[in-house]
Amino acid sequence: MSTILLPETLSAANSKVLLQNCKKQLCTGALTLDGSQLKTMDYSADAFFALLAELAEKTGNRLTLSHFNEDIKAHLKSLRKMDPPDRPVKGTNNVLEMLGGLGFSFIKEFVEVLILLFMSIYWTVFGPFDKGKIHFGGVTKQMFKSGSEAMGICFLFVGLICLTMALQSSVMLNAVGGGSYLASGLGFLIFAEIGPLLTTIILAGRSGSAMAAEIANMSVCEEVKAIKSMAIPPVQYLVVPRFIALSITTPILSFCSSIVGSLAGFLIAYFFCDISFSNYMMGIRDGIAPITFLKSSVKALVFGWIVTLIACNKGLNAHGGAEAVGKATTASVVSAICSIVIADTLFAFIFY
Amino acid sequence: MEEILKVDHLKASYGNETILKDISFGVKKGEIRMVLGSSGCGKSTLLNNILKFIKSDSGTITYFSKQFGPKDGLDSETRMRTGVLFQSGALIADLTVAENAMLPLKRSMPYMPKSQMEAIVADRLEKVHLLHAFHKYPGEISGGMKKRAALARAIALKPELLFCDEPSTGLDPVTARSLDELLLELRDTLGVSMVIVSHELESIKIICDRFVYLKEGYVLMDGTLQEGMESDDPTLKHFFSRQCPKETYSTGFYNFEFID
Ligand SMILES: Nc1ncnc2c1ncn2[C@@H]1O[C@H](COP(=O)(O)OP(=O)(O)O)[C@@H](O)[C@H]1O
Ligand SMILES: [Mg+2]
C-alpha cells in the first residue's frame, strides 16, 4: 500500500513521469492517489485516471483517490468508458483470393480501356457528323500542352541517351574495326525503338499524369457529373480531344526525337569514328528500310493511345477526395509505362 | 395534377452497405418538393440515383411519363429537360462563368451563332445577379457566386425539372435568402418543378410545398410543410423546432473509489 501525492496541476507536461510511477506502484500493490494539492487538470488527466482505473481492474490491485475536491470528483464520475466500433473487415487475407482480385481488376481495367478506345474512335470518326455535334475545340490546346511543350524534354532525353549509346557502341565497334557500321546500326535502333519508346515513356510521365490529375479532379469535384447532367457524354468532352491531340502529336514527336537522337549520334560518329556527315546519312539510309518509319509511327501512335486512354480511364474512375487524385495520377503513370513496355515487346515480335 | 417525376421503390447501396432501402415519392408540375433528413442519411445518394449517375439496386424512376429501370441511364432528351445544381457548384474550372453557362446551349443548339448564345447566357446571369462575373473563371469568384453561376447554367435551357443539392448551405443569410427568392421566382415565372435537398429550416419554411423526410433508408413522412410542422413524430418535431433530443448514454462509467 503506497501513496502518491499529486501536484497542484496535472497536465500533459508532467503526467508522463507521474504515470510511470503510478503504473509501477499499481503493478506491485494497492495505490492511493492523494489529491489534496490538486487544483487544476487538463485534457491529459482524463486519460491518466482512466488508464490507472483500467490497470487496477486488470491487476486486481485497489486504486483509491483520496482528498479530491468536489469539482474534480464530479468530473471523474462523469468520465465515460467508450469502446470504438470494430473495424469493418475489408478485403481478404487469403493470398490466392488476393491474386484473383488483382487479376480481376487487371482484366476489368483492360476491358475498360478497350471500351474507351472504341468509344474514342467512334466519337472521333462520327462526332463531326453527329446531329447534336459539339466542337469543344480543346484539341489544339491539348496538342500544345502535350506536343509543343513536351518537345524540349523529349529532345533532351532522347538526344543524351542516344549520345551515350553511340559512344559506347563506337568504343566496341572501333575495337573490332567496324566503326563504319555505327551509323546503320544506330539509326535503325533509334528510329525503330528508342525514339517511340522513350518519347512515349516521357509523355506518360509528363502529359499522362497531367491528364489523369485533371480528369480525376473533375470526377472528385462532381464536374464529370455536371457534364453528364448536360447530356454531354464525358468521353466526348474529356477524352476525345486528348485522344485526337495525342494521336497527332505522338508520332510527330517521336519522329522528331529520333532525328535529334541520330544527330546526337552523328557527333560521336564524327569525332570518334571519323565518319563524315554524308557517310553517316548514307549509313542511316542503308540501315533503315522505308517501312520502318511506318512501323515506328504506328508504334508511337499506339503508345500515345495507351498513355491517353489509361490516364483518362484512371481519371474518370477516381472517386473520394484529394488523395484519390494523387492515387489516380500515380497509378496512371505506372500502368501506362508498364503497358508501353509490354506493348513494345509484342511489337518486336510482330514487326521484326 | 400530373406527376412529372415518380420514384418507385428505389433501393440503393454502396458496396454491401444499403443506404436507401425503399423510397417512393412523386413530384407534381410546378411544385417545390423538398428532400429533408439529417446529414448522412442519403439525400445526395438519392439525387444521384434519381439522376442515374450511379446504378440502383432496384426500383424505377419515371420522368415525364418515360420509365427508367434501376440499371438504365437517362437519355439526352430527358437530361436536357432537367437541370441540376450540384452541392459544390461543379463549374468546369477551365471555362469562364459564361462559357460554363453556355455549355448546355452549345449541346442542344450547335447551329446557333455564338453572339446569340452569349445573349441568352447574359440573360440567365442577370437573373442570378451575376452579370458582372461574365468573363471570370470559377477560381476567381466566391462560393456563393459559384452556386449562383451553377444555377444559371442549370436553368440555361429553361428546364421543366430542377434538382438542387443544398443550394443555400454555406451561404451568408442574405445570399441564401436571395437564392430562395430566385427559386420561387423561377417556379412562378417558368413553372419549373423542383426537387431540393436542404436542411436550412429558414429556407424550408419559405420555399417548401411538400417534402419527404428520409430516415434510415425509408421515407419517414411525405406531406405538406403544414402537416410536417404539426406532426407528432419526435424526429420531425425535433427537426422543425430545431431541438436536439436528450442524449442517452449506453456505455458505462469508470468506477473510481473516492475517500476523504
Ligand atoms: N462514394 C461513397 N462510397 C461509399 N459510401 C458513401 C459514398 N458516398 C456516400 N456514402 C455514404 O452514404 C451515406 C449517405 O451519404 P450522402 O447521401 O452523401 O448523405 P447526405 O444526406 O448528407 O447527402 C453516408 O453514410 C456516407 O457515408
Ligand atoms: Mg449531401
Side-chain angles (χ1 to χ4, degrees), chain B residues 85-127:
Chain B
L85 171 58
F86 289 90
Q87 199 164 346
S88 54
L91 297 173
I92 313 287
D94 57 358
L95 300 180
T96 63
V97 167
E99 284 166 340
N100 261 290
M102 215 183 291
L103 265 186
L105 296 170
K106 274 193 188 169
R107 167 71 179 91
S108 64
M109 305 181 290
Y111 46 83
M112 195 63 83
K114 197 171 176 211
S115 55
Q116 191 54 47
M117 290 204 258
E118 278 181 339
I120 299 175
V121 166
D123 167 67
R124 302 294 190 273
L125 285 176
E126 158 92 296
K127 266 210 175 71

Side-chain angles (χ1 to χ4, degrees), chain B residues 50-123:
Chain B
I50 295 178
L51 288 162
K52 297 291 181 196
F53 293 136
I54 45 184
K55 292 193 167 80
S56 325
D57 296 346
S58 64
T60 59
I61 317 281
T62 312
Y63 279 93
F64 316 114
S65 61
K66 198 189 275 180
Q67 200 179 53
F68 296 92
K71 308 279 184 244
D72 296 347
L74 292 189
D75 55 3
S76 322
E77 194 215 333
T78 310
R79 287 245 188 258
M80 281 193 243
R81 289 170 76 180
T82 56
V84 187
L85 171 58
F86 289 90
Q87 199 164 346
S88 54
L91 297 173
I92 313 287
D94 57 358
L95 300 180
T96 63
V97 167
E99 284 166 340
N100 261 290
M102 215 183 291
L103 265 186
L105 296 170
K106 274 193 188 169
R107 167 71 179 91
S108 64
M109 305 181 290
Y111 46 83
M112 195 63 83
K114 197 171 176 211
S115 55
Q116 191 54 47
M117 290 204 258
E118 278 181 339
I120 299 175
V121 166
D123 167 67

Side-chain angles (χ1 to χ4, degrees), chain B residues 44 87 165-166:
Chain B
S44 301
Q87 199 164 346
D165 197 351
E166 308 199 6

Side-chain angles (χ1 to χ4, degrees), chain A residues 319-320, chain B residues 13-15 17 19-20 37-48 87 165-166 197 199 214:
Chain A
H319 47 78
Chain B
S13 43
Y14 289 115
E17 191 184 354
I19 308 288
L20 305 173
S38 56
S39 85
C41 73
K43 302 182 297 297
S44 301
T45 308
L46 177 63
L47 283 198
N48 281 329
Q87 199 164 346
D165 197 351
E166 308 199 6
V197 170
H199 18 229
L214 302 189

